[in-house]
Amino acid sequence: MTVSALNDYSVAVPVSDGDDFGAMLAYHLNGAPMSVRDKGPLWLVYPYDRGRDYRSETILTRSVWQLDRIEVLP
């Protein structure tokens, strides 16, 4: 899939990241909807505290904030 931010930054992310790496879409911060100022409306995040593999350049590149489009490719 391709995920894109409000500033048109986009990156390819394997759908399997949801299973293999625990990637998730965040839409709330401390119980409140995320504003654009707080990296919302959506943020693709990973469990960075699970280890060094989750802080690699590849994973950090896929951690898109201010996400507004997801295109699932065949």
Side-chain angles (χ1 to χ4, degrees):
M1 66 185 163
T2 300
V3 295
S4 302
L6 291 171
N7 67 357
D8 291 326
Y9 172 80
S10 63
V11 65
V13 177
V15 174
S16 62
D17 272 15
D19 292 330
D20 298 343
F21 288 101
M24 63 194 101
L25 284 176
Y27 57 92
H28 278 86
L29 177 64
N30 297 323
M34 294 173 58
S35 68
V36 171
R37 172 176 237 139
D38 292 323
K39 299 187 177 177
L42 297 170
W43 186 359
L44 181 61
V45 295
Y46 291 77
Y48 310 108
D49 59 348
R50 283 193 186 167
R52 181 170 283 165
D53 291 345
Y54 292 91
R55 293 184 297 276
S56 70
E57 184 175 343
T58 300
I59 295 298
L60 294 174
T61 300
R62 295 175 183 169
S63 301
V64 178
W65 55 84
Q66 294 180 331
L67 191 143
D68 75 333
R69 296 179 308 278
I70 301 172
E71 180 184 4
V72 179
L73 306 171

